């Protein structure tokens, strides 16, 4: 019952958090003394990036590991990994777009060969590659296995990409919320709105994941019906 | 006295790209026997043999081949125990007959000294140094046979071995199969039509629509 | 595992020696790609030693993709695939063997194209020789990664076009580290951090390959 209730409330709570974030971010919080109103992207970009790089990609990776591990192997894990990776693509694209919108007036360019931007773009290509790999294999078990291995390989790549390009160049700003000695750099209503945006976008991820998962289950049951029909037809070949 | 069963299949279904290659096979094959799987094109003969070889997996149903469970067993182990001869030819086109046999024998730790004898037995004695791509289709089939002789599998699975064989080839092949069964192996081969052999009297398994439709022994 | 690796590596290298695809097709392609990249930059920029490392690795990237694809094409003919499957080779050994063979092929290509980089892109000979160990390790890491990604796409629809889509992002850090270590060798500055990236990548890919190659091989 609790599970059903939380599933029913997920959508409304998500919308409420996001609506609050946008209201606070656009009208209530003050402009930054240096960036002015450009700072309002702070309530979108970091949260979207957090979901893209850690929550969704992380969910896909963990589900892939669980699929490969014999004890937890099931097509449920494969479905979760697939759906999470699809949502990840959306969030990665949003990260790059919102980052570019902020970068244009700040750096003067839509794109810079910055460590964070480049590694995020590469991650986006990896996520698209995962989806391409799934489309290239018809056999469900083979598809699940290969996708799971690719997801794990991609996850290994993330820190390697991050550190390799970190020594190359960086324009992207450093820690925004906390510095290395745990000093909070964002204050007051801005800090609370930022926190709310993280919660809101994380809930959005889980809402989208759930919706996509349900679609996938429906698609598979339709496929199963077609398969049962194909089996009957094939068996009738033997009788004719 | 009931013989041991080398193959048991119950409601075996094999799918490929959503199409049921096998649609519920019920089959038992006794050990140390010769069986011929017959049927029209697309009936499921090759798919059945590939299932028995562990080259494709069961989508549903149950089965045991050479003592290995097709659902929960180690298919890699199954493949090491059976001998497979497809109709597309075997091993690597750029290697010679000898090099292919050395590779295969080394992989399964079979004695390399037997290679020459096996090649001569199948009529490739004078072609050991010939590159595989220079062999005819029939000769490539014989390379696969030489390998089967080397590995001494307990279950031989041969996909349309009589295709593109002349009369002399068919006589040679009949003799070879008789020797193999006498030596204790089980043989399952596929053909479009029942074997017209004076010396062999195999069990016939008729496949139609991805299922076993009947047969005679 | 080691015995199987050795067997598979010998087999792959023997096939390469027979077919000479590397010698007559891939190396000429690599040489042409190097020349074209110099032409694209223009004589003023192509002749500077700073262009050499990046262009060398860019061309090696294309060469690697061709050789990875080749490594799996030889296994993909229907009769070959079924016959080899019945050998039940240890997957970890197959992975190591194919990586080793690919590594040897990339090293040979790398040496030839490195000479080409010195000759046509005016990269310093001494710097190129100092960079040689890092080049060899980078190419070894590319071999391990490439063998894994090749197995991911083997037999899939559109395998030849899917391979670059999956492999290029994985090669990105190797490309960066390789180029930086090569450039550092030319300017006699520190190399250790780039070595670290390549070494970590090599160990990671070999480890994952040994663990997971069997999962990829099962159909």
């Amino acid at each position: 019952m609790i599970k059903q209730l939380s599933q029913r409330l997920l959508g409304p709570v998500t919308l409420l958090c996001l609506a609050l974030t946008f209201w606070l971010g656009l009208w209530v919080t003050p402009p930054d003394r240096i960036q002015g109103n450009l700072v309002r992207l702070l309530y979108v970009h970091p949260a979207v990036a957090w979901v893209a790089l850690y929550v969704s990609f992380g969910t896909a990776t963990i589900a892939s590991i669980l699929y490969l591990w014999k004890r937890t192997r099931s097509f449920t894990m494969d479905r979760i990994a697939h759906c999470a990776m699809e949502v990840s693509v959306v969030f990665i694209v949003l990260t790059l777009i919102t980052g570019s919108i902020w970068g244009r007036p700040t750096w003067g360019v839509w794109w810079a060969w910055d460590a964070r931007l480049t590694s995020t773009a590469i991650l986006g290509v990896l996520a698209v590659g995962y989806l391409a790999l799934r489309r290239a294999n018809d056999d469900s078990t083979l598809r699940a296995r290969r996708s799971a291995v690719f997801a794990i390989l991609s996850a290994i790549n993330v820190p390697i990409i991050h550190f390799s390009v970190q020594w190359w160049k960086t324009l992207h700003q450093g820690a925004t919320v906390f510095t290395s000695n745990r000093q909070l750099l964002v204050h007051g209503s801005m800090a609370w709105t930022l926190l709310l945006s993280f919660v809101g976008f994380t809930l959005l991820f889980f809402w989208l994941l759930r919706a996509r998962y349900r679609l996938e289950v429906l698609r598979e049951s339709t496929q199963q019906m077609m398969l049962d029909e194909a089996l009957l037809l094939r068996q009738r070949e033997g009788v004719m | 006295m009931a013989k041991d069963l080398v193959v048991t299949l119950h409601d075996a279904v094999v799918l490929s790209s959503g199409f049921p290659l096998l649609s519920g096979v019920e089959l038992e094959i006794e050990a140390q026997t010769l069986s011929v799987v017959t049927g029209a094109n697309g009936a499921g003969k090759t798919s059945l043999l590939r299932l028995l070889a562990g080259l494709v997996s069961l989508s549903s149903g149950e089965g045991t081949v050479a003592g290995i469970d097709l659902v929960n067993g180690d298919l890699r182990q199954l493949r090491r125990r059976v001998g497979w001869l497809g109709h597309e030819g075997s091993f690597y086109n750029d290697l010679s007959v000898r090099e292919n046999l050395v590779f295969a024998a080394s992989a399964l730790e079979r004695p390399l000294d037997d290679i020459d004898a096996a090649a001569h037995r199948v009529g490739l004695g004078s072609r050991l140094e010939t590159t595989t791509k220079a062999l005819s289709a029939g000769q490539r089939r014989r390379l696969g046979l030489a390998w089967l002789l080397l590995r001494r599998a307990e279950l031989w699975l041969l996909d349309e071995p009589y295709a593109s064989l002349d009369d002399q080839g068919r006589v040679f092949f009949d003799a070879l199969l008789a020797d193999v069964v006498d030596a204790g192996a089980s043989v399952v081969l596929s053909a479009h039509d029942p074997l017209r052999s004076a010396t062999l009297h195999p069990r016939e398994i008729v496949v139609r629509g991805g299922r076993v439709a009947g047969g005679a022994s | 595992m080691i015995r199987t690796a050795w067997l598979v590596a010998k087999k792959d290298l023997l096939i390469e020696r027979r077919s000479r695809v590397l010698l007559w097709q891939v190396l000429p392609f690599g040489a042409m790609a190097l020349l074209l990249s110099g032409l694209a930059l223009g004589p003023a920029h192509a002749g500077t030693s700073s262009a050499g490392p990046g262009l060398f690795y860019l061309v090696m990237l294309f060469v690697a993709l061709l050789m990875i694809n080749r490594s799996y094409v030889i296994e993909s003919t229907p009769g070959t695939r079924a016959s080899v499957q019945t050998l039940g080779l240890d997957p970890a050994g197959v992975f190591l063997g194919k990586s080793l063979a690919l590594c040897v092929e990339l090293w040979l290509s790398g040496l030839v194209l490195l000479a080409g980089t010195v000759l046509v892109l005016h990269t310093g000979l001494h710097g190129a020789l100092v960079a040689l160990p890092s080049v060899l390790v980078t190419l070894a890491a590319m071999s391990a990664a490439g063998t894994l990604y090749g197995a991911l796409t083997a037999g899939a629809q559109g395998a030849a076009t899917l391979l670059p889509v999956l492999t290029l992002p994985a090669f990105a850090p190797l490309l960066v580290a390789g180029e930086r270590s090569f450039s550092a060798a030319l300017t006699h500055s520190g190399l250790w951090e780039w070595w670290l990236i390549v070494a970590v990548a090599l160990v990671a890919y070999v480890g994952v390959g040994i663990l997971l190659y069997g999962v990829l091989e099962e159909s």
Side-chain angles (χ1 to χ4, degrees), chain B residues 50 55 57 75-76 79-80 82 84 88-92 94-96 99 103-104 106-109 147 151, chain C residues 3 7 11 14-15 18-19 70 74-75 78-80 82-89 91 214 217-219:
Chain B
R50 288 176 68 88
L55 295 174
S57 42
L75 290 187
R76 194 169 292 120
R79 287 180 219 131
R80 285 175 74 94
V82 304
W84 166 262
E88 308 104 338
S90 306
F91 300 116
Y92 298 98
D94 289 309
L95 297 183
S96 68
E99 284 162 350
F103 172 72
S106 304
L108 282 180
E109 296 177 72
W147 166 234
R151 70 181 296 173
Chain C
R3 197 184 65 84
L7 191 65
K11 179 262 297 171
L14 184 57
I15 290 174
R18 282 287 159 71
S19 62
R70 167 81 183 141
I74 61 177
E75 308 290 342
T80 306
S83 307
V84 173
Q85 275 185 303
T86 61
L87 298 178
L89 292 166
E217 273 207 319
E218 279 298 317
S219 61

Side-chain angles (χ1 to χ4, degrees), chain A residues 53-94:
Chain A
L53 301 180
Y54 302 108
V55 179
S56 53
F57 213 91
T59 303
T61 307
I62 291 168
S64 297
I65 292 170
L66 291 175
Y67 177 81
L68 289 178
W69 192 24
K70 279 189 176 162
R71 276 196 180 176
T72 50
R73 180 173 298 166
S74 73
F75 281 113
T76 304
M77 290 302 149
D78 176 55
R79 255 179 248 125
I80 292 173
H82 174 209
C83 298
M85 198 63 88
E86 272 196 15
V87 177
S88 182
V89 170
V90 173
F91 275 89
I92 290 172
V93 169
L94 282 174

Side-chain angles (χ1 to χ4, degrees), chain B residues 26-66:
Chain B
E26 299 285 340
L27 182 63
E28 285 182 353
I29 298 177
E30 289 178 354
Q32 297 174 38
T33 57
L34 172 64
S35 307
V36 179
V37 179
T38 60
N41 288 338
K45 304 188 296 297
T46 300
S47 304
L48 177 58
L49 290 182
R50 288 176 68 88
L51 175 65
L52 299 182
L55 295 174
V56 294
S57 42
L58 274 179
S59 303
S60 67
E62 299 166 342
T64 313
V65 177

Side-chain angles (χ1 to χ4, degrees), chain B residues 91-107 112 115 127-132 143 150, chain C residues 7 10-11 14-15 17-18 87:
Chain B
F91 300 116
Y92 298 98
N93 285 335
D94 289 309
L95 297 183
S96 68
V97 170
R98 183 189 294 283
E99 284 162 350
N100 270 311
L101 290 174
V102 167
F103 172 72
S106 304
L112 302 183
I115 286 175
R127 308 301 296 269
L128 274 166
E129 310 308 327
T130 307
T131 313
T132 304
L143 167 59
L150 267 178
Chain C
L7 191 65
K10 269 197 322 187
K11 179 262 297 171
L14 184 57
I15 290 174
R17 205 180 77 173
R18 282 287 159 71
L87 298 178

